[in-house]
Amino acid sequence: MKKLRNFFWDGSHTILKKRIVILQLAIMIVLASTGNLYSAVGAGSADQQAVQKKISGTVTDGTGKPMPGVTVSVKGMAIGAFTGDDGKYSLTVPETAQTLVFTFVGMKTQEVLIGSQNVIDVVLKEESVGLEEVVVIGYGTSKAKDLTAPISSVKSEDLVKRTTASAMDALQGNTAGVQIISTGQPGANPTVRIRGVGSLNNDSPLYVVDGMFFDKIDFLNPNDIQEMSILKDASGAAIYGVRAANGVVLITTKKGKLNTKTTVTYSGYAGFQTPVNMLKMANGKEYAAMEVDKGVASDLAHVTSSVAKFGGSGVNPSTSTDWYKEILRKEAFTQNHSLELAGGSEKAAYSLSLNYLFQDGIMDSKNSYERYNIHGQTDFQAYSWLKVGYNFILTNYTTFAPNNSAFLYAYLSSPLYPVYDETNTTAFPDKYASSTSIGYANGAFSNPVAAANYYYDRTKGFQILPNIYAEINLFKNKLKFRTQLSEKLASLSDLVYTPAYYVDAYQMSTDKISHLKSVQERFTNYVLDNLLTYNDAYGKNHWTVLLGQSARDERWRALKGTADNVSGIHDEYMYLDLSNSDNRTIDEDGTDYRGLSYFARATYDFASKYLLTATIRADGSSKYQQKWGYFPSVGAGWVISEENFMKDQHLFDFMKLRASWGVLGNDGVPANNGFSSYTTGTGASGIFNNYGTSSGTYVNGYVTQNFYRDLDWEVVQEWDLGFDFTMLRSKLSGTFDYYHRMTSKLAFKKPQPMGAPDIYGNWGKVLNQGLEITLNYRDKAGDLVYNIGANVTTLKNEVKDINGLAYIATGTSEFPTRVEVGKPVYYFYGYQVAGVYQNAAEITADKIGTDNGVQPGYLKYKDKNTDKSLNESDKVNLGSYLPKLTYGFNFSLEYHGLDFSMMLQGQAGNKILNMNRARRLWYSDMNGDRNFVTSLWTGDGSTNKYPSAYATTQGWNNQASSFFVESGSYLRVQNVQLGYNFIVGNTESPVKCRVYMTADRPLIFTKYNGFTPEIGGTGYDTNTYPTAATFSIGCRIIY
Amino acid sequence: MITMKRLRYYSIILLAVIASSCTGFLDKLPEDTLATESIDYTDLSLMYEPVSGIYRMAESENPGFVHWMDFGIRGVRGDDLDKGSSASDQSTLTDIKYFHNSYAAVESFWGLNNSWNDYYGLIIDANSALEELDKFAANIPPSDNTELELNNRYQAEVRFIRAFAHLVISREFGDVPILTDNNALTTVKKSTVEDIRKWISDEMDYCIAHLQDCRPNQATPVGAVTKYTAYLLKAKVCADIAGADNSSTYWDEVLTATNAIMDSHLFSLYGDYYNLFKYSGRLCDESLFELQFGTENDVQPGAFWAFQGPRGDQHGSSISGWGFMTPSSDIVTFLKNRGDKIRLKTTVLYCDTATMTTGPHAGIKYGVTPSNDTIWNNTDGVKYFNGKAYLPTSDMYNKSASYGERNNVRVLRYSDVLLLNAEAKIRKGSSGDGPLNDVRGRAGLTPITGATLANVLDERRAEFACEWWGERYNDLVRTGNAATALSSFGFVAGTSEYLPIPLSQKAYNVNLQ
C-alpha cells in the first residue's frame, strides 16, 4: 500500500519542488547576468562617445496632466528612460542621436527630432482605439481601418491576464462570436466555436501559428503570443479555403525588432486552484431517507446493511461519506514562469524565451499538467533585398490524466459506506471498502477513491515547430516574394497502467492482474508557402495584390500495444516486453492527407474611403475522390467618416460600413475511401477447434465492407454586414455585425437500416445567423482612467435540409436528440412534464394515467395532441445545447500605478441534459444531488415538480422529458485582477515592475443542478471535471 | 549586383518549377485500409477466408448472436427465466416479459433495435461473403470439380448461418424481410413467418447437399456446421410451420430430417448432462452447432456470461456477474416436481441454502455448487442463478479469469433431434418412446411407455430449460399452448406472439410499417 501511494504521489511532489527551485535560480542568474552585460555595454559606449548631451522634459496628456511611466527612447539606439510621477524625464544622449520616441500604452507613439533642443516637452494624444493598429490577416497584414472583414484582434495583455494554461481558454468571454467551453481538467483542450455550429463533424476553427496549420494550440504558452486575429467571416477566412469554414485563428509569436535595445522580461505567477460552487450531494441521512421511502426491500437493505456493518441504529446509519470531498484537493498548486529576451541590431533581430507551466489537478490522485516551451526567432536582413529568418517553438509536456470515471462514481455511489474497510479481506493492495458489502451489485457504485488511485495515465510528448523563410524585395518594396517552409514534428508516448487490484467483483483489474497499454504516436506535417505581393498607389488609388501557392502534407502514425502482468512499481518497469504473459496485442493506425492550393487576393481603396477586397483559393485535397474546390470571397467597405458631408460633425470620429460574401470549405469530414474494403486479423477470423484440451485456433478470415459513398468537404456560404465606429473623441468605440452562414453539403452519417454501417454523405444544409455587438467606453475622471467594454453575440441555428429524412435520431437512445428541418441541430427530444400526479382521484380522471398504471407521486406528461394517449407524437423539442446569447463584460480602472480589472462572462438560452439525474433510469439505487433527494414528493400537495422516492425507480418517470432538460444559462465572474506598477532603479537603466493578484473564475451564478453549466459536446452533462477557481499572485519585470 | 539580381529571379523560377512539378501529389491511397481490389481471387487457398470471417461475426456481439441484451429479449419471454437483477434494472425487459408490446417504450426500446441490427448485420455480412465466394468461383476452371464443390460447401456454411439468423429474428419479430440482397435495405418487403421458414427449409436443402458429411467435431475446420446441422435446422423450421396441426405434411419432413441424423449413427448424447455445459462438454458428439470462443481477449462473447453471473458481494470469487436472466421459481418447481435432479442441479445455482457460522462472513447466507464453488447471497432477493451459464473455477484456465471465459456457447444439440423425432412420431400416431427415453435416460430419469405429446413437450422444457435461444417460448407459441401457460404474464393469442418492429427501422423502410 505504501509503495503504491509513493508511486502515485509523493515522488512527483519532491521532483516538482526541486524543479521550481532550479527554475527560480535560473531566472535570478539570467536576470543578474544580463543586467551586468547591459550596463557594461552602456558604459563602454559612453566612453567612446565623448560628446554627449543631456535632454530633459515633461510628458503630459491632452488635459495637461503629467504622465508617469512613459517610455522615452532614442531611435536606433539602446538608450532609454521612463518619466517619473511628475511626468518628468531626463536622458543623456550622444551627439549623434537624432530622434526621441515617446511611447505609452493607449497613446499614439510620438517621435520628436532632437535638433539643438535640450528641453523637449511632449503632449501625448490618445490612440484612436485600434484603428491604426496593424492586424494580421491571412498571408499578410492590414490596418484595422482598411478591413472589409470582421476580424477580432486579441491583445497579448488580455491573454496573459488570465491564469489559464491554454491561450484559447483565456479568450472565453473576450470576443464576440467566439464561444469557448472549458473544463477544469489540466491539459484538456477547450471547445471553441466561432459563429455557431455549421457542421455535424468538426466545428473547431483552424489555427495557423506562424504559417503552420493546427487543430488545437494547447502547446503554446500564452506569453509567446504576440498577436492573435480571429477571422470570423468569409471575406477574412476564404483565403484558407477548404479549412476555413469554422473560422480561422491566426497567431504570430513574439519577434524581436531591428534597432531596439535588448529587453529582458520575466513574468510569472503562482497560486492554487480550488473547487468552487460545488454541487451539494445528499448526505448519508438524506440518502437513507430516500431509500427507506422507496418501500422496496432491496433498497431498504442498503440502509440496514450499512447500520449493521458500519454503525448506526434502526434506519439511521452513522456513515455519511462525502465522496467528492474524498476525491478532491482543496488546493491544487499551479505556477507559470516565462523569461524572454528580445532585441535587435541594424541587421538582425531576435527573440528567445523559456516558459514553464505546472498545473496540478484538483482530483486528489496522479493528475497534473506540466509544460516547457522554448521559443526562438531570428530575422536577418542579409542583403538590402533579402530578408531571411527562422522561428521555432519547442514544446515538451507531461500530462497525468485523471480517471474521470471516479467523478461518475462519486456522484452515483452511496454515502452509506466508508472509504476504507479493514474487514474487506479479499481487497488488495489497499483495503478499500466495497459497495457490495452493503448490497450494491453494479460497478457504477464503485469506490470512487479506489477508482481515482488505481489509475495511471501518463502522456509525455514533444513538438517542434520550426519554420524558415526568405523574403525577397523584387522591386522598390512594392513587389515582394516570400517563401516559407513550416513543419510540425511531434511525438507522444502514452502509458496507461492499471495495477493489479481488487475491491470487489465489480471493481477490479480484469482477471485481477495488471494491464499496460502503450501508445506511440508521431506527427510529421509540413506546409510550404510561396507568396508574391505587389502593392502600389496612384494618386488616391491604393492596391495590393497577393498571389500564392501552398502545398501541405499531414501525416500521423500510431502504434499501440497492450500487455498483461507488468510490474508498475516503478515507471521504469512499464514496458510491454516485461510482461510475463503471452497475452499481448498490437495495433497500428495512420493517416496521410495532402493538400495543394493556389490563391490570390486583391485589395483596393480609393482615398481610404471606398474599400474593396476579393480573394479566391483553389484547394486540392487527397482526402476525397473530388479533388478540387474553389472558394471565392468579396468584401466592400465604405468609410463614411471620410466623406465631405461628415466633416462638420464632431459626434463620430470614424464610421465604416462593411459588407462581405464568400465561400468556405470544411474538410474536417472523415476521409472517403470510395472503394469497398475489408478487414483481416483476429477480429475477422473465426476461432475453431475449441475442443478437448485445445483452446481453439484462428482460421484466417476476412470480412468485407461494401457500403461506401463519394464524400466531399462541406461548403459554407457566408454573408456579413458590419458597422464600425468610434465616437465622442474616441471614447466610445464599437462594432456591429450581422452574419448569415449557410452550410450546404452538410456531411452526416445517414443511419442505415438492418445494422448496416452508417454511411456518410453530403446531404444537408444548416443555417447559423446572428448579431455580434462589441462596445467599449474609455474615459478619465481626474487621474482615474476607466474602461467599460461589452460584447454580445446572438445565434440562431436552424437545420434547413436533411435529404428528405423526417429526422436523424442522434444522442443516446434513451435521452435522444434529433436533427430535423426547421429546428436547431441536436435538439433535445422528449415529453413535456406537466406536473406530478397528486392523488388517486387525479389518476382516475386521466386516461393516460390509468392506461399506464401510474401512482400518486409519478410525473405527469403533457398530452400534446390531446388524444388521451401518450406516445411518440406527444414528444416535443425541449431545447438545444447551443446558447442563443453569449456575452462578456469587462471593466477596468487605472489610477497612477494601480490598476483593477474585472471580467464577466456568460451565456443564455441553451439547454443541458442532466445525465447525472437521468442515470437513475439505469441505477435506481444511486445517490443524487441534495436538491433532488430532499425535494421528492411525499404526499398530496408536497411538490408538483419532483416525483416520489418510489417513482424514481420506475421507468415511467425516467423517460426522456423536460424533467432532465435544464437551462444552461449562467453568469460567471471570469477574472478579477488588482495590479501595481512601479519602477525600480534609476532612470538610466530602469526596471519596470508589475505585481498583481488574480482571482480567476471565482464565482458563478446559475440555476443549473450540476457542477458546471459549461458542458461540451452536444449538451449531455455526463459529469465532467469540475471547474476550479484559481487564486494567484504574479509579477512581471521588464528590464 | 547584376548577379545578385539574377539570383533573385532565378530563385523565384526555381520555386515556381518545384511548385508546379507536383503532379500526382494528390493521388494517394488511404492509409491503413485494404481495398477488396487487392484480394487475389485466383488464389484458391484464400477461399475459406470469407467463411471464417462469417463464423467470427456470428461469435460477435454487434453484429452477431451473443449480445447480452439480445439474449435478454430472446429469453425473458416465457416461464423459464425471470429478468433478474434489481427490479428497475433494464425494466423494459419486464414490459416485454409481460407482453406490453403496445407500450411506446417497447417500440422505441434500444434493445429491440440492437437485436434487429445484430441479426441483420450478420445477414448483410453473410451476403457479402457469398459475393466473395462467387468471385473465387469465377476463377475455378470448370473442370476442377474438387474446388467447385469446395466452393459450394463454403457457400453452404455461410448460407446456414444466414438462415439461422433469419430464424432467430423471425421468432422475435414475426413477419420480417428475407434479406439476400444488400442493395435492398430500404426497400425489402416483409415475408410471413411461414414463408420465412419455408425459405429456410429450401436453403437447408442446398446446405444438406453440399456440407460435410460428419459431426462438427470431425469437420474441417473443427466445429464447422455440417450436413446434419442443416438437417436439424430444417426439422426445426418444419416443426414451426406444422405447428399444432398433426395432419401437416411438414411433420413428415421433420421425421425425414431427424431420421437422417439418427440413421447416420454419428451422434450420441453426452453421458454427463451436468458437464455438457462445462468446459469438458464443448463440441462433444452431441453437438451440432456451437459458437466457439478462446482465451484471447478479443474472442469473447462480450458480457454474455457476466450478464447471467451471480449478483451481489461474491467476496473475491470470479463466479460473479450482473445477475440477469435467472431461473424462475416456476421452472425450479417444475423440475423438482418431476424429480429431474440432474437437470435441476445443472440449471439452477442456489445462493441461500446455508448460513456461514464462522470467519469474516459469519451470518451471511450462501450456496455451494455441485463443483464446490461458493455463491454468496445478495440483497436484491435473487434466489437462483442460471446454472447453464456457469463455468466452475476448476474449469478456468487461471483462477482469476472472468466468468465463463473460454467456454463455448451451445446452440444446437442432438437431444433436440431426438425430441423432435419423438414429437413427430407421436403426432403421426406412432410411438415416440425410443428417442424420448434416450433423452430421459441421459438425464437419469426412468423410461416412459406410451409417451404422450405432453410428455415430449415437458421433456423439451426440462432439457432446454434456461438456455439461450428462446426454445421454450417458441414451443409454447408453435403448439398453441402459450395463451394458457403464459396467461399470468398477459399473453393474448394473436397479438402477443411477436415484438413490434423497432420504431427506427420503420422510419428507414416504408415496407416495414
Side-chain angles (χ1 to χ4, degrees), chain A residues 78 195 214 299 606 620 706 841 1028:
Chain A
R195 292 187 164 179
F214 290 92
D299 291 325
F606 178 77
N706 292 326

Side-chain angles (χ1 to χ4, degrees), chain A residues 75-261:
Chain A
K75 196 173 183 180
M77 291 182 188
I79 296 171
F82 293 97
T83 58
D85 278 351
D86 51 2
K88 289 199 160 65
Y89 71 93
S90 89
L91 201 60
T92 309
V93 303
E95 275 290 325
T96 49
Q98 289 180 343
T99 311
L100 279 189
V101 184
F102 295 83
T103 48
F104 190 77
V105 176
M107 305 300 244
K108 269 188 182 164
T109 298
Q110 201 165 325
E111 296 190 359
V112 181
L113 283 173
I114 300 170
S116 57
Q117 304 175 82
N118 284 328
V119 175
I120 300 176
D121 294 336
V122 165
V123 179
L124 284 184
K125 282 183 187 150
E126 275 171 54
E127 202 163 34
S128 326
V129 183
L131 290 175
E132 293 297 325
E133 196 185 335
V134 172
V135 297
V136 186
I137 59 172
Y139 304 101
T141 57
S142 168
K143 277 190 180 167
K145 66 172 185 169
D146 294 340
L147 290 172
T148 60
I151 295 179
S152 296
S153 177
V154 181
K155 290 181 195 130
S156 164
E157 306 101 81
D158 288 340
L159 291 177
V160 298
K161 201 166 230 179
R162 297 286 315 281
T163 48
T164 58
S166 113
M168 290 317 286
D169 274 321
L171 270 189
Q172 196 176 37
N174 179 300
T175 307
V178 182
Q179 190 200 359
I180 313 254
I181 301 163
S182 67
T183 87
Q185 183 175 330
N189 272 294
T191 303
V192 178
R193 295 186 192 123
I194 296 177
R195 292 187 164 179
V197 170
S199 170
L200 306 183
N201 302 285
N202 167 34
D203 54 18
S204 315
L206 167 70
Y207 298 91
V208 182
V209 180
D210 294 329
M212 187 66 208
F213 289 5
F214 290 92
D215 52 9
K216 56 185 182 187
I217 50 160
D218 55 338
F219 64 91
L220 271 182
N221 190 303
N223 275 311
D224 280 335
I225 295 175
Q226 172 119 3
E227 279 160 293
M228 184 191 273
S229 290
I230 299 166
L231 315 181
K232 292 189 283 199
D233 84 324
S235 169
I239 196 89
Y240 288 103
V242 78
R243 300 291 296 265
N246 300 318
V248 180
V249 178
L250 288 180
I251 289 163
T252 49
T253 53
K254 284 190 176 160
K255 286 183 169 48
K257 282 186 192 146
L258 292 177
N259 300 319
T260 48
K261 71 164 198 160

Side-chain angles (χ1 to χ4, degrees), chain A residues 512-559:
Chain A
K512 297 183 201 170
I513 55 174
S514 65
H515 305 276
L516 177 68
K517 181 173 89 174
S518 172
V519 183
Q520 312 291 327
E521 291 183 48
R522 67 179 243 151
F523 304 81
T524 47
N525 302 357
Y526 75 79
V527 174
L528 174 66
D529 291 323
N530 292 306
L531 309 172
L532 193 63
T533 330
Y534 174 64
N535 68 70
D536 209 344
Y538 180 77
K540 288 183 172 175
N541 303 281
H542 308 90
W543 63 88
T544 312
V545 178
L546 165 78
L547 294 176
Q549 179 265 338
S550 178
R552 67 171 198 275
D553 196 349
E554 296 175 354
R555 287 165 294 208
W556 165 72
R557 199 162 179 117
L559 187 66

